[in-house]
Amino acid sequence: MRFADLGLGPEVLKAVEEAGYLEPTPIQAQAIPHILMGRDVLGTAQTGTGKTAGFTLPMIEILAAGRAKARMPRSLIIEPTRELADQVARNFETYGKFHKLSMALLIGGVGMAEQEKRLDRGVDVLIVTPGRLLDMIERGKVMLTGVKILVIDEADRMMDMGFMPDVQKIVSYLPPIRQTLFFSATMPPEMRRLADSFLTNPKEVAVAPQATAAATVEQAILYISAGDKREALRQLLRAENVRNAIVFCNRKRDVNLLHKSLLKHGLNTAELHGDMAQSARMATLEKFKNGEISMLVASDVAARGLDVQGLSHVFNFDVPIHAEDYVHRIGRTGRAGQSGHAFTLATPAERKYVTAIEEMLGKPIPTIQLDAIAPPAPEEEEAAEARGGRRKRPARAKSEKAETEKAARPRRGRREKAAQPVMAALPEQTVPVEPPHAPVPRTAEAKKRPAKSRPEPRHQRRDEDGDERPVIGLGDHVPAFLMRPVPLRG
Ligand code: AMP
């Protein structure tokens, strides 16, 4: 399949060629012809599949005809995070360079004067995060009645972050006759039902089975005591051939603490989380992308949208609480067919999250051990088990040894290569990494247990970093009977 076979015009084809793409990715090949025909699309695709170009290329084509009116955007793209919104805007700039489309970006945390001016002049494409758009609607700065194409991107993330009520409210301001493109990395039944409420007779396209990790990412997990995590991370950084890496923590305060600790050890790191000003976030990302910074300590806000060419490693300093976040985190590496490595540090207390991830992936993640770091103490294991975690894995069977040693050979090869920038600051030291253990078969009892990918309720309000936001009073969920007018007596 060639781009020229998809129905795109010569200007878009030229921009695609200049971007260096040789052929459409599967999601592009499946979605673009249907979008060009005006169909609604329900897409199951994660970032890294080329999904953004999958909707921006045909949108540029469709929007090329027609003109925008003041404050009435012709198309609307809703993104869960500022980074993603910014990335989509860059896609429009790259692929729309031979068109004269106008665009505005309404995202939280940045000055809006320039974007408001653009809106006033009329835009073809409006890219938003939900909160900022609602704010602008309420202030009468934008009207959505002229929107012909709506894109709801990364819908599962939006749901996790508690944005769906806002998205539904935004959609209620749109004309019912429109084209809607709905993308989500996962499509569980509840998401499907929600999608159906936005879409009309959609063409369904899917490029990866539900929540699968890219085959190009080599994964490993290391069980250790909580107090050994920092040392274990440093040892992995020494032992692995790390070119550039993202280290994920679950909480932003931990992002900050770990970042400071790594800086103290002379590592070239920066932090990225939702409490930083947008300008600082963008500047940090830019430095990471251009190689000035080789390691980013980040919260999940960076797991989506972040597209760094050739990222060699992802480290999960904490096991993500939501299983899907694991796939998104490790999906930052191993992109566009390149190989990548993902290491997860897990304490016995986090074993329950690992179980949920493995059940979602449908296979266990190979375990490794570092020679210099002891496995968790039995008391820690027992305490975690008492709190509902799973017991320590049984030791490997002897017959599996030969197989695992074979699997370990390329890893040794990598360690022998020259030191890379990330570890250059750490004292030279060879830390033997034990080969990945062969997958431990799950017990019959574990298989019977229902998949538990969401240990926390979905409806909980969270901020960008996944930290819980306190819900005051009844929060967003005021029961309908309280809203009904009281009938007057007499
Ligand atoms: P996305 O899934 O939209 O985040 O895209 C992931 C990466 O794939 C981005 O760096 C795109 O520039 C790149 N990309 C998109 N389409 C293609 C293509 N047809 N061939 C090669 N790379 C692509």
Side-chain angles (χ1 to χ4, degrees):
M1 175 73 79
R2 297 174 316 145
F3 273 108
D5 301 328
L6 300 178
L8 296 163
E11 292 92 352
V12 171
L13 289 176
K14 194 164 165 219
V16 164
E17 195 187 326
E18 288 190 10
Y21 304 159
L22 302 175
E23 55 180 30
T25 64
I27 187 80
Q28 291 162 0
Q30 287 182 56
I32 290 173
H34 295 283
I35 299 175
L36 287 173
M37 281 190 282
R39 286 273 306 261
D40 280 7
V41 165
L42 175 63
T44 310
Q46 56 197 86
T47 54
T49 55
K51 125 179 104 73
T52 321
F55 63 81
T56 47
L57 296 176
M59 278 178 78
I60 292 168
E61 206 63 68
I62 295 168
L63 294 167
R67 280 196 56 201
K69 291 192 201 132
R71 297 188 187 186
M72 289 180 68
R74 297 168 65 210
S75 66
L76 174 68
I77 300 171
I78 310 177
E79 296 287 341
T81 67
R82 304 162 194 177
E83 277 75 13
L84 255 179
D86 186 65
Q87 209 152 284
V88 172
R90 284 173 197 233
N91 269 252
F92 270 101
E93 277 162 12
T94 308
Y95 310 131
K97 64 205 263 196
F98 300 114
H99 288 86
K100 286 201 180 69
L101 294 181
S102 54
M103 180 175 68
L105 193 58
L106 296 182
I107 52 179
V110 289
M112 280 289 109
E114 172 57 27
Q115 305 298 316
E116 281 184 34
K117 263 193 227 156
R118 286 188 186 197
L119 258 180
D120 284 347
R121 287 198 294 266
V123 291
D124 299 299
V125 184
L126 180 62
I127 306 165
V128 303
T129 49
R132 178 57 72 115
L133 177 62
L134 276 180
D135 190 39
M136 298 289 276
I137 295 171
E138 275 149 26
R139 288 197 286 131
K141 299 270 183 196
V142 58
M143 284 206 310
L144 300 180
T145 45
V147 171
K148 300 276 185 293
I149 310 175
L150 166 70
V151 181
I152 299 173
D153 195 18
E154 302 272 331
D156 52 344
R157 186 66 176 170
M158 268 190 299
M159 191 179 262
D160 275 351
M161 291 163 80
F163 287 170
M164 270 307 163
D166 287 354
V167 173
Q168 283 167 316
K169 196 164 175 195
I170 290 168
V171 175
S172 74
Y173 293 116
L174 263 68
I177 306 228
R178 56 164 199 265
Q179 183 177 11
T180 305
L181 316 174
F182 185 102
F183 293 95
S184 182
T186 56
M187 200 61 71
E190 62 197 294
M191 182 63 71
R192 180 65 216 234
R193 274 195 296 278
L194 186 78
D196 284 342
S197 71
F198 297 127
L199 298 161
T200 308
N201 183 27
K203 169 72 189 166
E204 287 186 38
V205 295
V207 293
Q210 196 166 310
T212 48
T216 45
V217 182
E218 194 185 324
Q219 304 169 57
I221 199 155
L222 181 68
Y223 284 102
I224 43 173
S225 300
D228 289 334
K229 276 197 174 183
R230 287 186 188 181
E231 178 55 29
L233 176 65
R234 291 196 297 270
Q235 292 206 7
L236 280 171
L237 289 171
R238 283 188 208 110
E240 281 285 305
N241 189 9
V242 179
R243 183 174 52 241
N244 50 2
I246 304 179
V247 185
F248 283 102
C249 298
N250 287 354
R251 298 277 175 259
K252 50 198 161 203
R253 62 167 185 275
D254 297 329
V255 167
N256 182 259
L257 289 174
L258 181 63
H259 161 62
K260 283 185 184 151
S261 152
L262 291 169
L263 271 185
K264 239 192 254 167
H265 282 83
L267 284 153
N268 181 16
T269 72
E271 60 183 324
L272 188 75
H273 55 74
D275 270 0
M276 293 162 62
Q278 185 59 18
S279 52
R281 275 161 71 166
M282 291 302 182
T284 302
L285 269 182
E286 207 45 55
K287 283 187 191 163
F288 187 54
K289 284 184 180 181
N290 70 26
E292 254 178 84
I293 293 165
S294 36
M295 195 156 67
L296 210 54
V297 187
S299 63
D300 280 292
V301 78
R304 300 275 171 147
L306 196 69
D307 182 25
V308 179
Q309 299 289 331
L311 185 78
S312 72
H313 283 72
V314 164
F315 296 94
N316 289 315
F317 191 75
D318 299 313
V319 182
I321 292 166
H322 296 305
E324 302 95 290
D325 284 338
Y326 177 81
V327 175
H328 292 297
R329 286 181 182 186
I330 72 167
R332 298 308 94 208
T333 180
R335 287 163 86 78
Q338 292 182 350
S339 64
H341 305 275
F343 288 89
T344 299
L345 306 180
T347 62
E350 289 175 304
R351 203 180 283 277
K352 57 181 185 287
Y353 302 132
V354 177
T355 307
I357 291 166
E358 291 180 334
E359 282 173 5
M360 185 191 69
L361 296 174
K363 60 179 182 199
I365 304 167
T367 57
I368 57 163
Q369 278 196 334
L370 294 171
D371 277 356
I373 303 229
E379 311 87 75
E380 226 177 311
E381 290 281 4
E382 276 152 26
E385 200 185 359
R387 286 195 302 267
R390 202 188 270 185
R391 195 89 178 93
K392 196 178 164 192
R393 283 150 196 269
R396 265 181 302 160
K398 265 205 180 117
S399 58
E400 289 164 350
K401 199 164 174 258
E403 212 178 306
T404 48
E405 273 168 4
K406 192 167 151 231
R409 256 175 242 142
R411 189 178 289 279
R412 289 205 182 101
R414 281 205 323 275
R415 280 211 314 278
E416 280 153 15
K417 288 187 196 151
Q420 296 293 305
V422 167
M423 2 175 242
L426 290 173
E428 276 300 322
Q429 189 179 333
T430 324
V431 182
V433 176
E434 254 197 24
H437 289 195
V440 177
R442 284 189 293 144
T443 61
E445 184 222 340
K447 279 183 187 155
K448 264 186 260 150
R449 240 175 272 154
K452 223 180 15 168
S453 68
R454 291 191 174 278
E456 289 189 10
R458 251 175 190 275
H459 60 264
Q460 221 151 19
R461 273 248 161 187
R462 294 179 170 276
D463 69 9
E464 269 190 307
D465 287 315
D467 288 354
E468 279 166 34
R469 278 198 248 154
V471 176
I472 298 161
L474 293 163
D476 293 334
H477 304 284
V478 182
F481 74 90
L482 286 180
M483 304 296 283
R484 249 178 255 141
V486 181
L488 292 173
R489 289 196 191 176

